Structures are given as C-alpha cells and as structure tokens.
Amino acid sequence: MKSDKQKALEAQVKTIQRRSKMLKQAENELSELEKRLETYFKLTGAKLNQAIQNQGNQRA
C-alpha cells in the first residue's frame, strides 16, 4: 500500500508533467505565431518598398 507521502509525490509528478505538456504546446504556438509574423512583415515590407519605388518613379 502506498503511503500518503508517496501519493503526494505522485500527484506532484503528474502536475509537473501536465504543466510541462502545456508549456511545450505554448512554445509550439508561439513559434507558429513568430513564423506568421515574419511572413507578414516580409510581405508588408516588400509592399512598402514597392510603394516607395513607385512614388520615386512618379517624381522622376
């Protein structure tokens, strides 16, 4: 039969495992958001550069 101390330790291990899984999931989500933001800023930057070039060409 398990002692109360052992049961408490097992409960703590389960809690830590659950939190670890949640943290890994959050890291994955953050990584995905980071990739999406990079793509967004690359596209936005390209559009901005194109607009600046077009404006420069109109003045010339």
Side-chain angles (χ1 to χ4, degrees):
M1 209 166 153
K2 295 181 182 178
S3 69
D4 288 342
K5 200 173 197 179
Q6 191 174 3
K7 287 179 186 177
L9 286 173
E10 288 175 354
Q12 286 179 336
V13 167
K14 285 183 182 180
T15 299
I16 290 169
Q17 289 172 334
R18 190 170 43 245
R19 288 180 180 170
S20 176
K21 190 175 182 181
M22 288 171 62
L23 280 171
K24 285 178 185 175
Q25 184 178 354
E27 286 175 348
N28 289 340
E29 290 174 11
L30 279 172
S31 178
E32 186 60 35
L33 280 173
E34 192 174 40
K35 289 175 190 173
R36 289 173 62 189
L37 277 172
E38 283 178 20
T39 301
Y40 171 79
F41 284 121
K42 284 178 186 174
L43 292 173
T44 303
K47 288 180 184 177
L48 182 60
N49 287 336
Q50 186 64 46
I52 291 169
Q53 287 176 356
N54 289 343
Q55 190 175 20
N57 291 340
Q58 289 174 354
R59 290 185 182 174

